[in-house]
């Protein structure tokens, strides 16, 4: 009877759980001097939430165990449309683990190719994998929009050497994956289920904290148990049944010995992936498939009680309307030093309690979560105090006023069960989500240049307090965090601030800033920030140029649409809503001073609180943003 190990990671001790899992299925059977090939899942070069790639801690523990038996360890991965194997390995932290364990790294796309025939079909496979004396598969526990789940079986898709394998094989994944697994024998499988992924995996789904490690000897048996843990029927997953038909593994749960934790103790119902979540149309063009991540934690019956600290314009136009629009939310209290403002907000939004001391909000035992909408100099201390009082936090940008302060915040509250979500609302705009997925899938190739122009007239916004005009950074601290976060979202971290130039033309602080950046991906970014606008509606314009195409869109003026040029000349409009709705909403946004992303962000935060689901963006995203902002400031 085949055996699968399922073990919890207790108190963060990943190595103990990995060792238990490996021993549970018979340990490592290697002769001293034999070469071991290890295949982790490195699906993407950026993994800020730990749900996309194999956790480096899991790989590190596996390599430590293997080094006790041999000193010949090769970690492998191939190129993909998202990036080259070495880049993904380096930026994801995997390469550092490889170096630390004196292992080698082989890019399978550069390996010698051999032809292997399986079930009458011939595959092109890397010799390193085909000739492996001992093969260890270290996958991630995730859902997948094409194969339902991606665990041991789907992880082997990554050994195929073609960089654009998605183009070649995605339409026939359910045929190719069984053949690859039949051609490449696996001796040991260790599954990273610490932070799993549900919804629209394998890249744009929602993180799920599971804190488990699994083990086994064949991919079908492991995936069968994994499917049950995730709430899916393995007999309805074609990559499992078709690989099993080739004589591999077991699909009957009663014929599998599960050791460690019983399935029922660790199982939870994962949200299923959806291959298509909408259509693209503009009223005149043919319908197109929309690659749009709509993964949002599902609403639950639990009532979420919130407090809002700071009652300025951002609270009035974003936070309070967002909370009031949700049926499972009650705004219990608000706090502000301005008593007239408190009375205005109380009348407008029907708030029960008002305080002039924000600590009264934090000490209210009824309140589950708070929005912090105060000037940036107060964010760090208020956030720490809120978490210490057992509140979930949605904090306006920036999280802190310096890098050192931001990392202090991360150290003080980063391990708390009460999460902190930075308020990067534009991530929740349909056009932004669409662009992120287009870039992630390599649809426009490798991004080479980004041009961003953000114009917002402060006379139109008419802030309640003038703190922006008392800080020299001015427009940089006001609009800059949104641009930096979206650059991080699309392309990863900033490698270098090449230059920055600022002027104070209308106000006594910087009201016009130009920034020249180089991203770690190699792309160049030119950013312009302006407190002047040629329209009542602000403009947040992007042009992203890749090796295969270019995208242009305005986050604020057209939140549902992007235009793509595939030939450098003509542009095609891709939208998630008809053009008429785009026009109507443009007028509504101007009149009401609102935006699609405002309510979407608040809804997401509330459901994360209700479901106790870690959010995206994360606290670390906010810290990284502050770090980049400080590097820009140093150039002025």
């Amino acid at each position: 009877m085949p055996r699968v190990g399922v073990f919890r990671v207790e108190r963060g001790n990943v190595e103990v759980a990995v060792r238990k899992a490996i021993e549970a299925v018979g340990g490592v059977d290697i002769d001293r001097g034999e070469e071991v090939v290890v295949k982790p899942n490195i699906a993407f070069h950026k993994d800020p939430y730990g749900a996309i790639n194999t956790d480096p801690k899991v790989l590190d523990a596996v390599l430590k165990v293997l080094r006790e038996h041999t000193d010949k360890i090769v970690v492998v991965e191939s190129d993909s449309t998202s990036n080259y194997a070495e880049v993904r390995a380096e930026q994801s932290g995997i390469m550092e683990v490889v170096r630390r364990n004196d292992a080698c790294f082989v890019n399978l796309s550069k390996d010698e190719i051999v032809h292997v025939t399986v079930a009458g079909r011939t595959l092109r496979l890397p010799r390193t994998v085909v000739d492996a004396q001992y093969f260890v598969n270290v996958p991630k526990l995730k859902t997948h929009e094409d194969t339902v789940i991606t665990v041991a079986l789907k992880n082997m898709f990554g050994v195929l050497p073609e960089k654009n394998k998605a183009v070649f094989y995605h339409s026939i994944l359910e045929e190719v994956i069984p053949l690859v697994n039949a051609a490449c024998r696996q001796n040991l499988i260790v599954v990273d289920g610490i932070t799993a992924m549900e919804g629209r995996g394998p890249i744009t789904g929602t993180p799920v904290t599971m804190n488990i490690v699994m083990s086994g000897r064949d991919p079908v048996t492991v995936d069968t148990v994994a499917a049950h843990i995730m709430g899916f029927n393995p007999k309805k997953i074609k990559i499992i049944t078709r690989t099993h038909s080739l004589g591999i593994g077991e699909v009957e749960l009663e014929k599998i010995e599960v050791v460690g934790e019983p399935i029922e103790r660790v199982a939870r119902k994962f949200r299923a992936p959806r291959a298509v979540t909408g259509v693209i149309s503009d009223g005149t063009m043919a319908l197109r498939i929309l690659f749009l991540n709509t993964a949002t934690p599902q609403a639950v019956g639990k009532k979420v009680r919130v407090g809002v600290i700071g009652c300025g314009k951002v609270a009035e136009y974003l936070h309070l309307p967002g909370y009031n629009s949700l049926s499972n939310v009650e705004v219990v209290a608000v706090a502000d030093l301005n008593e007239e403002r408190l009375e205005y907000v109380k009348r407008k939004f029907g708030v029960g309690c008002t305080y002039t001391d924000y600590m009264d909000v934090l000490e209210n035992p009824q309140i589950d979560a708070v929005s912090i909408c105060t000037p940036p100099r107060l964010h760090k201390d208020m956030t720490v105090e809120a978490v210490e009082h057992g509140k979930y936090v949605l904090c306006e940008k920036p999280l802190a006023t310096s890098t050192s302060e931001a990392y202090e915040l991360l150290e003080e509250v980063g391990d708390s069960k009460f999460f902190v979500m930075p308020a990067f609302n534009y991530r929740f705009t349909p056009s932004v989500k669409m662009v992120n997925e287009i870039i992630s899938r390599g649809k426009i190739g490798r991004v080479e240049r980004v041009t961003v122009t953000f114009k917002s007239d402060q006379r139109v916004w008419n802030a309640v307090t003038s703190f922006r005009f008392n800080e020299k950074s001015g427009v940089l601290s006001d609009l800059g965090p949104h641009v930096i976060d979206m650059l991080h979202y699309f392309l990863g971290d900033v490698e270098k601030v090449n230059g920055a130039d600022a002027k104070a033309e209308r106000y006594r602080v910087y009201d016009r800033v130009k920034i020249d950046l180089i991203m770690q991906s190699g792309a160049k970014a030119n950013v312009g920030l302006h407190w002047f606008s040629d329209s009542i509606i602000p403009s947040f314009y992007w042009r992203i140029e890749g090796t295969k195409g270019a995208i242009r869109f305005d986050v604020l003026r057209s939140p549902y649409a992007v235009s793509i040029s595939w030939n450098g000349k003509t542009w095609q409009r891709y939208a998630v809503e008809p053009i008429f709705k785009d026009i109507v909403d443009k007028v509504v946004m101007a009149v009401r001073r609102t935006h699609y992303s405002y309510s979407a962000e608040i809804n997401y935060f509330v459901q994360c609180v209700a479901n106790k689901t870690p959010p995206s963006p994360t606290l670390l995203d906010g810290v990284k943003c502050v770090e980049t902002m400080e590097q820009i400031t140093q150039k002025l």
Side-chain angles (χ1 to χ4, degrees), residues 204-478:
T204 57
T206 303
V208 179
T209 301
M210 295 293 287
N211 276 325
I212 62 171
V213 172
M214 299 174 60
S215 60
R217 293 294 183 183
D218 77 80
V220 170
T221 306
V222 169
D223 279 23
T224 294
V225 175
H228 281 285
I229 288 174
M230 300 164 78
F232 300 111
N233 182 350
K235 294 179 182 179
K236 293 184 178 181
I237 300 175
K238 290 182 180 179
I239 60 170
I240 294 179
T241 57
R242 290 183 177 181
T243 309
H244 177 61
S245 70
L246 296 176
I248 299 173
E250 182 55 67
V251 294
E252 300 288 347
L253 189 60
E254 59 271 17
K255 296 180 181 179
I256 301 171
E257 181 185 3
V258 178
V259 296
E261 294 288 338
I263 289 178
E264 57 271 17
R265 288 189 184 176
V266 297
R268 63 161 286 171
K269 180 63 178 176
F270 278 45
R271 286 192 300 110
R274 289 168 291 177
V276 179
T277 57
V279 294
I280 293 179
S281 69
D282 64 355
T284 59
M285 297 175 61
L287 296 181
R288 304 175 187 274
I289 298 299
L290 167 64
F291 298 111
L292 175 62
N293 170 27
T294 57
T296 299
Q298 298 299 299
V300 297
K302 170 180 165 51
K303 175 77 73 172
V304 175
R305 295 174 172 83
V306 301
V308 177
I309 300 173
C311 295
K313 286 297 179 70
V314 73
E316 179 184 356
Y317 291 137
L318 192 161
H319 293 257
L320 288 165
Y323 289 131
N324 272 4
S325 68
L326 300 174
S327 60
N328 66 322
V329 176
E330 177 188 352
V331 180
V332 174
V334 295
D336 198 284
L337 293 174
N338 186 326
E339 293 188 18
E340 291 183 6
R341 190 66 184 170
L342 282 176
E343 185 59 30
Y344 169 78
V345 167
K346 181 180 181 179
R347 290 197 312 269
K348 183 173 182 178
F349 297 101
V351 181
C353 299
T354 61
Y355 303 114
T356 54
D357 186 345
Y358 73 92
M359 288 301 296
D360 290 333
V361 174
L362 301 185
E363 291 173 356
N364 188 326
Q366 290 186 330
I367 293 175
D368 304 302
V370 296
S371 279
I372 296 178
C373 306
T374 57
R377 60 185 173 81
L378 303 174
H379 288 175
K380 187 256 185 178
D381 289 342
M382 284 184 171
T383 298
V384 172
E385 290 169 331
V387 171
E388 288 177 346
H389 281 77
K391 314 299 184 189
Y392 297 97
V393 178
L394 175 62
C395 183
E396 274 299 324
K397 46 77 184 173
L399 285 178
T401 56
S402 69
T403 300
S404 60
E405 193 178 69
Y407 276 100
E408 286 175 9
L409 174 62
L410 182 64
E411 183 176 350
E412 290 181 43
V413 304
D415 293 330
S416 173
K417 68 177 182 179
F418 298 100
F419 59 71
V420 176
M421 175 175 154
F424 294 132
N425 56 284
Y426 293 121
R427 283 198 186 199
F428 300 91
T429 308
S431 59
V432 173
K433 289 185 175 185
M434 192 194 314
V435 169
N436 182 57
E437 189 147 346
I438 289 170
I439 293 173
S440 298
R441 289 171 173 270
K443 297 296 182 181
I444 62 167
R446 179 173 54 84
V447 174
E448 296 182 320
R449 181 173 294 279
V450 180
T451 304
V452 188
T453 305
F454 200 162
K455 296 180 180 181
S456 179
D457 198 317
Q458 284 297 292
R459 293 173 300 180
V460 175
W461 180 248
N462 192 25
V464 175
T465 57
S466 60
F467 69 90
R468 291 290 183 204
F469 304 102
N470 297 327
E471 300 172 353
K472 185 66 174 176
S473 56
V475 70
L476 177 61
S477 61
D478 181 27

Side-chain angles (χ1 to χ4, degrees), residues 94-114:
I94 294 293
M95 195 68 86
E96 175 57 31
V97 173
V98 173
R99 287 192 288 262
R100 187 164 62 241
N101 286 277
D102 294 323
C104 299
F105 183 86
V106 171
N107 182 340
L108 297 177
S109 296
K110 300 176 181 178
D111 200 20
E112 179 186 352
I113 301 301
V114 296

Side-chain angles (χ1 to χ4, degrees), residues 4-16:
V4 172
V6 180
F7 291 86
R8 291 188 186 275
V9 176
E10 303 285 355
R11 298 180 180 178
N13 201 326
V14 175
E15 185 176 341
V16 169

